[in-house]
Amino acid sequence: MGEGFGNTTALVTGAQGFIGCWLAERLLGEGARVVVPRRSVEPRSRFMVEGIAERCVLVDADVLDQRAMERTLADHGVNLVFHLAAQPIVGIANRSPYSTWESNVRATYSLLEACRTVGGSGEPPRVVVASSDHAYGDHEELPHREDFALKALYPYDVSKACADIVARSYADAAGLPVAVTRMANTFGGGDLNWSRIVPDTARALIAGRPPVIRSDGTPERDYLYVEDAVDAYLAVARSLDDPAGHGAAWNVGMGTPVSVLGLVRILIAISGHDVEPDIRGPAVPPAEIDRLYPDSAAIRERLGWAPAWNLERGLEATYRWYERYLSGGAAAFVADVA
Amino acid sequence: MSADRDYKGTSVVVTGAHGFMGSWLVERLLDLGARVIIPRRTVAAGSRFVREGLEQGCEMVDIDLLDPRSALRILNEGGVRVVFHLAAQTIVATASASPMATFDANVRGTYNLLEAARLLSDHAPRLVVASSYHVYGPGINGVCFEDTPLRATSPYAASKACADFVTRSYAGTYGVPAAVTRLANVYGGGDLNWSRIVPDTVRALTRGDRPVIASDGTPERDYLYVEDAVDAYLAIADSLSDPANYGRAWNAGCDLPVSVLQLVRALIAAAGLDLEPEVRGTPVPGRVDRQYLDSSAIRDELGWHARWALDDGLAATYEWYGQALREAALR
C-alpha cells in the first residue's frame, strides 16, 4: 500500500458520523475511492453539508447484513476497510443495551466475516476496527498500555471490549489483516453528539449560556483532535502491510489528560465570554469510568505517529467550526439525545 | 446444599440440554423435582439427552434463542425462576473455521437471554451462564484466578469472553441476577465431541486401538467430572440469593493439573488394557504448557468441592461409553 492511498478503494462504515466523515474526506484527498454503506441519511451531518457524500460511492446497506457487505466489498473491489460505525453514546448504551450489542458487536463480526469470505483464498481487504479506550474499564494504574487487561463493565465499554476481542480473533484464526484502534476522546468539528462535553460546551457558549458540567468536573480524560485521529487511522492501515501488525491494538491520544473542568475553561477562554460553568453532578456519573488515559508510546515509536494538534489549537478550530455551523441554524434539525 | 428444597416445582430453563453437560444438569434437576423447560432448535441423534429418556421428563419448546422475542417469551410465560445457559458452539476448531456462526450462537444467544431478563426487571430469573477457562487465553502458564485478565485470542475463546463480559455487565449495570461459570475441562459420559481428548481416547480404547496423542503429551490442564460440574452449577445458582454475588465469575476445577499423557494412561488403566499411547507431537524445548484454575473462591464461599477423584471419574466415564457403544447407539 505504501505511503499514499491512490490505488486504494476504501470502505468506511460510519462515514456519516463524526470521525468517519473526516476520514472519508482525507482518503478522498489522498486519491482513494471511498465506498460508504449507510442505512439512514442525516441531512445536517458534516458528511452531507460539506459535500463529502457526493464524492463517495454510497451504498444503501446495513452493516449488520453480512451478504450485503460481502457484495459491496466484491462489487467495488474494496482493499481497505475502516469500521467506525457504532452506537457511540454511553447514555444510549445504558438505556438500550440490546441495540448497542447489535450495532457494536454483531455488526463488527458480520463485517469481518464478510471480509474473510470475500477474501477467500485470495487477498482479503485490510481492516481497521474502531475500538475505544473505554474497553480498558477502570484501572488503578494509568496510563493504560495496550497489554493491559480489558476490564470493561458497563454496556458501552463492554460493547467496545467485545468488538476489540472479536476483531483480533479474526487475525488469530482467519489470518485476516486486522488491527484495532483504542482512541482517547476525540473532538473536532462535525461531532453532533451533543451529550459529549466539547459539542455541548461549544453550543452553550455560542448561545451565550453557561456550560453545564454533569459531573463535579474532576473526571480526567485524554483527548485527541480529529485530524490527528485520522492520521492514526491511516498509520494503522499502513502498518497492516507487515503481518506482524495483524491482530494488534493501538492506543491513540494526545498524552495530556485534562479534567472536564479544565477543558471547559479552555473553551470558555476561546469563546471570549465571561461565564462560570454550572457544575451539577456527583464525582462520577452513574455507569461511567472515572479516569481514562491511554499510553500512546507504541504508535508514536513504531508507526511514527504523533499528534500535530495540541488541546488549545484543536479546541480553537473546533469552536470556530461550531460557530459557523450553528450560525446556519442547522442544529435545530439535529436530534438532541443525551 | 439447599437445592433439594429449592427446586421442587420450580420452573427452570436449561439451554443446551441436548449437549453433554446439559443432559447431566437436566437429569439432576428432574431428580430434584424441578419443572425443566428446554428450548431446542435441533435434535441430536444419539445424544445422552434423548438416549436416556430425559426428554420425556421435560417441556420441549421449539424456538431458536437467536430470536430475542422467543427468549423473552420462554422466560416470561414459563414463570421461569432459574436459567442455566449452556447452549453454545463449543468446539474450538469449528469456531476458527466459522467464526461468525460461533459468535452468533455464543454471544448473540447470550445477550438475547440477558436482555429478556432485564426487560422482566423484578421478575427476572436467576441466570447462570457458561463461560469457560478458555477466556483466560493461551498465554498463561500456571494458575488462573477469577481476576486474571481475560486474554482470549482464538474465536472460540473470544466468543466466550464476550459472553462473560456481557453477562457481568447486565448484573453490574441493571442488577440482573446473573453469574458466569469458568469450568475446567469437563468430562463424563455423553460427550459426543470426539475431537476432545477423553471421548477420543475412550473410543479408541473400546475398539482396542492405541490412543493417539496429537501433542507431545506434556501439556497440563485440570479436569472436572461432570457430576461435580453439575454441583458447581447448582451452587452458583444458589449463590444468587445474595445480590452481592450478582456479576461474579466462578472458577471450578480440581486444582490439580494433569498432563495429557497422565490422563490417557489413567484411561488405559480404567479400560484394563495393556497399551501404550501413540505420541505424535514433538516436545518444544523449554516450553512449559500448564494451565489450571484456582477454585478457592467457590470452595470457600459456596462450600462446593470436587468429590470425584480423576481415576473414579474416568472409570465411570469409560463405563458409560462402553455401554453406549455396545448398544451401537453411537457411530
Side-chain angles (χ1 to χ4, degrees):
Chain A
M1 201 166 297
E3 280 295 301
F5 290 86
N7 295 319
T8 298
T9 300
L11 182 86
V12 181
T13 74
Q16 299 201 94
F18 158 49
I19 303 176
C21 73
W22 286 88
L23 177 59
E25 187 177 34
R26 173 75 72 82
L27 286 164
L28 291 165
E30 302 257 345
R33 293 175 68 221
V34 178
V35 180
V36 173
R38 63 176 183 184
R39 63 177 175 187
S40 57
V41 177
E42 297 170 37
R44 301 290 157 181
S45 65
R46 182 173 178 273
F47 185 67
M48 297 297 283
V49 299
E50 300 198 0
I52 303 163
E54 60 207 42
R55 299 161 64 198
C56 297
V57 176
L58 303 175
V59 180
D60 287 320
D62 188 333
V63 181
L64 278 167
D65 182 346
Q66 185 219 342
R67 296 290 173 207
M69 284 303 108
E70 225 177 283
R71 189 181 65 234
T72 304
L73 295 170
D75 283 359
H76 299 282
V78 170
N79 50 18
L80 177 61
V81 173
F82 293 97
H83 178 44
L84 277 66
Q87 190 298 98
I89 304 298
V90 171
I92 293 175
N94 288 334
R95 287 195 300 280
S96 182
Y98 191 85
S99 60
T100 303
W101 310 132
E102 292 280 288
S103 297
N104 296 6
V105 185
R106 185 153 77 91
T108 299
Y109 65 71
S110 296
L111 179 60
L112 287 162
E113 190 78 10
C115 293
R116 183 181 82 97
T117 311
V118 81
S121 54
E123 207 168 301
R126 286 132 209 254
V127 189
V128 184
V129 172
S131 176
S132 162
D133 63 351
H134 280 259
Y136 291 112
D138 260 325
H139 282 265
E140 292 286 315
E141 191 188 343
L142 291 167
H144 305 127
R145 287 192 317 273
E146 285 88 346
D147 63 352
F148 274 31
L150 303 184
K151 298 204 309 186
L153 176 61
Y154 302 118
Y156 173 72
D157 312 333
V158 165
S159 75
K160 283 294 172 178
C162 290
D164 188 302
I165 295 169
V166 161
R168 287 180 294 114
S169 84
Y170 270 86
D172 181 75
L176 206 64
V178 56
V180 307
T181 58
R182 297 175 185 159
M183 293 191 175
N185 270 15
T186 305
F187 66 92
D191 187 355
L192 303 183
N193 296 296
W194 301 108
S195 66
R196 289 186 181 146
I197 185 72
V198 173
D200 185 48
T201 303
R203 184 173 62 167
L205 289 167
I206 290 162
R209 293 193 308 265
V212 173
I213 296 180
R214 286 178 301 130
S215 66
D216 69 352
T218 61
E220 282 185 15
R221 299 277 188 276
D222 191 22
Y223 291 85
L224 182 65
Y225 183 61
V226 65
E227 298 212 47
D228 287 331
V230 167
D231 278 345
Y233 273 109
L234 300 188
V236 171
R238 286 189 199 101
S239 79
L240 292 171
D241 285 349
D242 180 356
H246 300 179
W250 301 96
N251 285 343
V252 195
M254 279 184 188
T256 50
V258 61
S259 70
V260 170
L261 185 58
L263 183 87
V264 169
R265 289 212 186 281
I266 296 171
L267 278 166
I268 290 173
I270 289 166
S271 77
H273 295 313
D274 182 21
V275 290
E276 274 296 304
D278 176 3
I279 298 172
R280 290 195 183 163
V284 184
E288 282 190 30
I289 302 167
D290 188 20
R291 292 196 304 161
L292 279 170
Y293 174 15
D295 180 336
S296 308
I299 191 168
R300 284 168 176 267
E301 287 161 21
R302 288 162 52 198
L303 304 188
W305 173 90
W309 296 72
N310 65 25
L311 197 56
E312 286 74 10
R313 284 184 49 238
L315 287 172
E316 169 86 31
T318 304
Y319 189 82
R320 299 304 162 212
W321 187 90
Y322 284 110
E323 275 186 329
R324 288 194 303 278
Y325 182 75
L326 293 173
S327 68
F333 297 91
V334 176
D336 191 354
V337 181
Chain B
M1 237 178 291
S2 57
D4 302 49
R5 190 186 62 242
D6 290 349
Y7 283 99
K8 199 146 293 209
T10 300
S11 293
V12 178
V13 163
V14 180
T15 76
H18 286 81
F20 153 55
M21 176 75 229
S23 73
W24 288 87
L25 180 60
V26 166
E27 186 172 33
R28 179 79 68 82
L29 289 166
L30 291 173
D31 286 347
L32 294 174
R35 171 188 172 222
V36 181
I37 303 168
I38 310 286
R40 66 170 178 193
R41 63 175 177 185
T42 51
V43 179
S47 72
R48 185 173 176 276
F49 185 73
V50 173
R51 186 179 166 270
E52 306 203 353
L54 296 170
E55 200 170 40
Q56 279 76 45
C58 299
E59 291 176 34
M60 309 305 296
V61 186
D62 287 318
I63 62 160
D64 186 342
L65 290 170
L66 293 182
D67 173 17
R69 288 196 187 83
S70 295
L72 179 58
R73 183 167 59 84
I74 194 174
L75 298 195
N76 191 25
E77 295 180 4
V80 173
R81 305 285 303 281
V82 186
V83 176
F84 294 98
H85 179 43
L86 279 63
Q89 192 300 98
T90 59
I91 303 301
V92 174
T94 304
S96 293
S98 178
M100 179 158 164
T102 300
F103 290 125
D104 265 340
N106 298 7
V107 186
R108 187 147 69 98
T110 299
Y111 66 65
N112 277 347
L113 274 173
L114 285 154
E115 182 68 8
R118 183 181 78 93
L119 294 173
L120 290 170
S121 98
D122 290 347
H123 299 285
R126 299 175 186 178
L127 294 104
V128 183
V129 173
S131 178
S132 163
Y133 72 90
H134 279 101
V135 297
Y136 296 112
I140 294 173
N141 263 312
V143 64
C144 297
F145 298 86
E146 283 89 349
D147 62 358
T148 297
L150 308 190
R151 299 194 190 285
T153 56
S154 75
Y156 175 72
S159 74
K160 282 293 175 179
C162 291
D164 190 301
F165 270 118
V166 164
T167 302
R168 289 183 290 112
S169 152
Y170 272 93
T173 311
Y174 308 107
V176 172
V180 303
T181 63
R182 297 177 187 159
L183 303 187
N185 289 281
V186 179
Y187 68 94
D191 188 354
L192 305 185
N193 297 298
W194 303 108
S195 63
R196 291 186 183 143
I197 182 77
V198 171
D200 183 52
T201 304
V202 170
R203 187 167 61 171
L205 291 171
T206 56
R207 291 168 174 168
D209 294 340
R210 286 174 68 191
V212 172
I213 297 177
S215 70
D216 69 351
T218 62
E220 295 177 44
R221 297 287 183 271
D222 59 349
Y223 295 86
L224 185 66
Y225 185 59
V226 65
E227 298 246 38
D228 285 330
V230 169
D231 283 345
Y233 271 97
L234 297 181
I236 291 163
D238 275 358
S239 80
L240 292 170
S241 61
D242 180 357
N245 289 323
Y246 295 2
R248 294 282 299 267
W250 301 93
N251 284 345
C254 292
D255 293 64
L256 177 73
V258 171
S259 75
V260 172
L261 193 59
Q262 281 175 288
L263 181 81
V264 169
R265 290 224 162 103
L267 272 169
I268 293 171
L273 294 171
D274 182 19
L275 285 175
E276 268 299 303
E278 184 185 337
V279 179
R280 292 204 175 150
T282 46
V284 182
R287 180 159 178 261
V288 181
D289 182 1
R290 171 194 288 160
Q291 197 184 104
Y292 64 105
L293 300 173
D294 175 276
S295 309
S296 54
I298 190 171
R299 273 203 314 272
D300 298 347
E301 295 182 52
L302 306 187
W304 173 90
H305 66 273
R307 296 160 198 264
W308 288 72
L310 186 66
D311 290 342
D312 297 337
L314 290 175
T317 303
Y318 191 82
E319 194 178 335
W320 186 90
Y321 284 101
Q323 195 178 349
L325 290 163
R326 273 193 301 280
E327 289 170 11
L330 308 172
R331 278 185 290 272

